[in-house]
Amino acid sequence: MRTINKLIFLIIVVLSVSCEKNDKEPFPNIKDGFGIVINDSIVYNYTQIDFYDFSSHLVYLKDGNTFSYSKEGTFRVFANKSEIYTGKILSMSSSTIGDKPIIECEPSFFNDYIIAISFFQITDSTGKFLNNDPRGDSRIIEALKKYNQYFKGLSCTIDTINFISNTNATVSLVLTNNDNVNYYYLDPEKMGNNLFHYFTNGLYTFDNNNYGFNYFFNKDSVERPKPYISSWDKNWLSLLKSKESTKITISYNNFKPLSKGTYNMFFDFPGLSWVEKKTLQQENGRIWLGNLHMEKKITIK
């Protein structure tokens, strides 16, 4: 009888310990707000995060916190303890794309106070998205708002694309500041087209006949900053005040002619990337970092 009682007691103890293990939170530092876990070991929670710019999905870290990771792996994104999505940590040289969000490990285009979460949107020949971007989940936004860490950043749309001739065109963009802070942005009028197109491919389309992209800017004429991409000049920048919009017009000439038909036109509006944190905040506003992708369908008659 005693043997049976001991056995029952041991079973109860084992079950109790097992339940405690199951109830234990896997990431106790993710208690509230927004958080990122790197390889199930390194945690960035709301106490270490300064703010999240949703326009380019850049997570800015507070002073004393850095992101410097050299190994590929995985990451998890949390909002108020709930896991929202998982992604991969890849090097810039990796040929893997996949359908998950990506954080680039060292080296990165951004300084170590930023965690950049990118996502490759896959489309078919009609421009229809074949995979969903999980980064914009409303639960993430709500978690960030709890600690005033949510920023919409800048948005940009293609207003018009006018073909002056078969080899000359102008594109008009509308750039909008959606936040309550002022932003400095790269201004092609101040920089000049050659330098501006070092940071972007500009206007382009997919050429179905040649199975490749058709870029409207002559990349051979691109002007490289000196000494490198980390170099920048405040004279390149213009200030866009809170809640205001501005129109930007860029002219293209001598590109490969497009035959008659309907095209999906693309434009990537660039920001600076490698900016030291101490110079990020200027006298009248913050330098905007990142990249904005736009699309517009046109018909060549």
Side-chain angles (χ1 to χ4, degrees):
M1 190 71 175
R2 287 182 179 180
T3 303
I4 294 174
N5 289 338
K6 285 182 179 180
L7 182 60
I8 293 173
F9 177 75
L10 286 173
I11 291 172
I12 292 172
V13 170
V14 169
L15 289 174
S16 176
V17 172
S18 176
C19 288
E20 286 181 7
K21 286 183 178 180
N22 290 334
D23 291 340
K24 186 178 179 181
E25 295 178 357
F27 307 109
N29 291 334
I30 302 291
K31 296 181 179 180
D32 201 5
F34 174 80
I36 301 174
V37 177
I38 307 294
N39 277 347
D40 292 341
S41 59
I42 302 173
V43 175
Y44 295 90
N45 61 29
Y46 76 93
T47 65
Q48 299 159 292
I49 293 169
D50 193 0
F51 62 93
Y52 185 151
D53 182 343
F54 243 59
S55 63
S56 285
H57 292 282
L58 302 181
V59 180
Y60 290 70
L61 301 177
K62 291 181 179 179
D63 290 340
N65 296 278
T66 59
F67 175 77
S68 54
Y69 203 72
S70 59
K71 294 182 180 179
E72 295 190 351
T74 60
F75 69 94
R76 306 184 188 202
V77 167
F78 289 82
N80 295 324
K81 292 186 179 181
S82 296
E83 183 176 312
I84 308 301
Y85 66 84
T86 62
K88 296 179 180 180
I89 301 171
L90 300 174
S91 66
M92 292 174 61
S93 60
S94 175
S95 59
T96 304
I97 296 178
D99 59 353
K100 288 181 175 290
I102 293 170
I103 292 176
E104 286 184 349
C105 55
E106 294 180 322
S108 170
F109 282 116
F110 295 94
N111 214 318
D112 62 4
Y113 61 89
I114 289 177
I115 302 176
I117 307 175
S118 60
F119 182 76
F120 185 77
Q121 198 90 58
I122 302 172
T123 61
D124 60 17
S125 58
T126 66
K128 180 182 177 181
F129 293 132
L130 300 178
N131 56 341
N132 295 321
D133 186 349
R135 297 175 300 169
D137 194 293
S138 60
R139 291 171 293 176
I140 295 175
I141 295 174
E142 291 305 311
L144 290 166
K145 284 182 176 179
K146 184 178 291 187
Y147 295 100
N148 297 316
Q149 295 171 325
Y150 173 68
F151 283 79
K152 291 183 179 179
L154 301 182
S155 59
C156 196
T157 58
I158 299 175
D159 186 26
T160 60
I161 300 174
N162 294 318
F163 281 84
I164 302 168
S165 68
N166 205 24
T167 58
N168 292 268
T170 61
V171 56
S172 292
L173 311 173
V174 177
L175 186 68
T176 301
N177 181 352
N178 302 296
D179 285 328
N180 293 320
V181 298
N182 301 333
Y183 287 117
Y184 283 97
Y185 67 93
L186 287 175
D187 189 336
E189 188 173 335
K190 289 185 175 181
M191 303 171 68
N193 262 6
N194 290 359
L195 181 56
F196 182 74
H197 282 82
Y198 175 81
F199 296 92
T200 178
N201 288 317
L203 186 65
Y204 64 99
T205 187
F206 186 79
D207 188 341
N208 290 316
N209 296 323
N210 296 313
Y211 301 100
F213 289 101
N214 184 12
Y215 298 99
F216 291 174
F217 188 79
N218 181 4
K219 302 302 285 185
D220 292 335
S221 62
V222 161
E223 180 183 340
R224 182 188 176 104
K226 297 177 182 179
Y228 190 53
I229 194 171
S230 58
S231 297
W232 60 276
D233 191 322
K234 192 176 178 180
N235 292 324
W236 300 350
L237 309 177
S238 287
L239 186 67
L240 186 58
K241 293 184 178 180
S242 170
K243 305 300 182 181
E244 291 188 351
S245 296
T246 188
K247 181 170 281 191
I248 298 170
T249 301
I250 301 172
S251 297
Y252 294 96
N253 54 53
N254 297 326
F255 57 81
K256 182 180 177 181
L258 295 177
S259 56
K260 293 179 180 180
T262 300
Y263 296 87
N264 289 316
M265 310 298 292
F266 308 98
F267 195 99
D268 292 311
F269 188 86
L272 289 171
S273 53
W274 194 267
V275 176
E276 291 186 10
K277 190 170 187 179
K278 64 182 180 181
T279 59
L280 189 66
Q281 187 65 43
Q282 296 290 311
E283 183 178 356
N284 297 314
R286 181 190 302 147
I287 298 174
W288 180 82
L289 311 180
N291 186 77
L292 300 173
H293 180 73
M294 293 153 277
E295 300 180 18
K296 190 178 183 70
K297 186 169 289 188
I298 66 165
T299 299
I300 305 294
K301 297 180 179 180

